[in-house]
Amino acid sequence: MTKQLTTETFAKEIESGVTLVDFGATWCPPCQMMEPIVEELAQEFEGRASVTKVDVDQSPELAQLFNVRSIPTLVLFKDGKPVDATLGVQPKKVLAEKISSQL
C-alpha cells in the first residue's frame, strides 16, 4: 500500500533515494484511475524506490510548493529534488521507466 504523505512527513520521506509522489484527491475520477497503477508500482519497486501520495485537499501547501495546478500530477524526486513530472493519467510502463531511470 502506498504511503500517504502530509506536510509534516513529506520532507523526511523524499530526502534520500527515489520517490514518486502522486498528487491527487479522493473526488477526482482521473486520480481514482491512477490508484491501481500507483499501488502496483509501489509493490514492484518496494525496497528500491518509494511510491507515495499527497491529498491536495489535506496538504494544499505541498501542492502549492510544487506548483501542482491540475491533478493527478506525479512528481519524481531523487535525493529530495524533483527530477521529473507528469500530468494526468499515465500508463504504468511510462512511470516504471521514469522510476527505473533514476535508480
Side-chain angles (χ1 to χ4, degrees), residues 49-93:
S50 296
V51 179
T52 61
K53 294 182 191 183
V54 169
D55 185 314
V56 297
D57 291 331
Q58 293 176 3
S59 301
E61 55 285 332
L62 287 175
Q64 187 175 9
L65 181 64
F66 294 102
N67 218 14
V68 174
R69 298 230 187 297
S70 65
I71 53 175
T73 293
L74 295 107
V75 181
L76 188 62
F77 292 87
K78 182 162 188 177
D79 298 329
K81 295 180 177 43
V83 292
D84 201 345
T86 56
L87 301 174
V89 176
Q90 299 293 318
K92 180 181 162 190
K93 182 177 190 263

